[in-house]
Amino acid sequence: MGLLKKLFGGKPETKCEPAQQARIVPESPDPVKAPTKTGAAGVALIKQFEGCHKPIGQGRFQAYPDPGTGGKPWTIGWGSTTDAEGKPIVPGTVWTQAQCDAQLVRDLARFEREVAQAVAGAPTTQNQFDAMVSFHYNTGAIARSTLLRKHRAGDYAGAQAEYGRWNKAAGKVLAGLTRRRAAEAELYGR
């Protein structure tokens, strides 16, 4: 609970609404030294698009199927597809708000680490890092993306344009993914 209080301020939320405070990470003064933690803008973007779903009352949330496939991967809370032990979420899983928030912290740490490794020392601003963490949090595809290759090559406009290509799930264009990719591209370009 101490880490959650430090990161999100106060008690865990009892309603499924974005936290009022996020981790505050200053802009990297030296873009060659890439950030390693998601800033407030990145956390807010992830929470905005992931939401904390599917409330069933009394501060509890139930797993729901992937909107693109109608099944796997099953998701809970702030878009988590695995639990604290790394096991996949299954139908019928129920978590408290505190469990949802704690898993968000764990998920962010994993995706931040993977993006930092993928960027591998390429000049990266805080906003670029945040946008890539949001992208990876949702797709799991940073390492194999043309977006990353263009970013590492210094083609920032090309990398920014790549976000729009990732708006499909199970072969279908999803309006929510289109909006998310546009928001990530905008953040990346700030």
Side-chain angles (χ1 to χ4, degrees):
M1 170 74 173
L3 180 59
L4 287 175
K5 185 174 183 179
K6 181 179 173 185
L7 294 177
F8 297 107
K11 294 187 269 184
E13 302 165 41
T14 56
K15 293 185 178 177
C16 190
E17 297 174 5
Q20 295 301 312
Q21 295 186 21
R23 295 188 286 176
I24 304 301
V25 179
E27 289 287 324
S28 176
D30 178 7
V32 173
K33 183 174 177 151
T36 59
K37 298 291 177 203
T38 309
V43 172
L45 190 141
I46 290 166
K47 284 184 154 191
Q48 174 188 344
F49 285 99
E50 292 295 340
C52 189
H53 295 291
K54 179 173 183 203
I56 58 172
Q58 300 178 349
R60 297 178 319 141
F61 301 86
Q62 184 174 349
Y64 57 94
D66 179 81
T69 66
K72 292 181 180 181
W74 282 78
T75 308
I76 195 166
W78 300 104
S80 297
T81 57
T82 58
D83 66 15
E85 285 101 39
K87 296 177 185 166
I89 300 300
V90 296
T93 301
V94 174
W95 283 358
T96 65
Q97 181 72 57
Q99 287 173 298
C100 294
D101 292 344
Q103 189 62 39
L104 172 64
V105 171
R106 285 187 291 271
D107 288 344
L108 273 175
R110 176 172 57 112
F111 290 114
E112 289 165 344
R113 187 173 51 256
E114 291 171 0
V115 169
Q117 289 170 348
V119 168
T124 305
T125 67
Q126 183 68 56
N127 287 335
Q128 290 169 337
F129 183 81
D130 289 0
M132 287 188 280
V133 170
S134 176
F135 169 83
H136 189 47
Y137 191 105
N138 181 243
T139 66
I142 194 71
R144 69 178 188 267
S145 69
T146 303
L147 183 161
L148 175 66
R149 286 194 296 282
K150 289 185 177 188
H151 176 82
R152 289 182 64 185
D155 179 6
Y156 304 119
Q160 186 177 15
E162 286 295 312
Y163 282 93
R165 297 183 61 215
W166 292 81
N167 66 346
K168 297 176 187 76
K172 296 179 268 185
V173 172
L174 298 183
L177 288 180
T178 300
R179 286 190 303 275
R180 183 178 186 148
R181 296 292 101 83
E184 289 166 347
E186 189 277 326
L187 178 60
Y188 181 93
R190 270 193 229 159

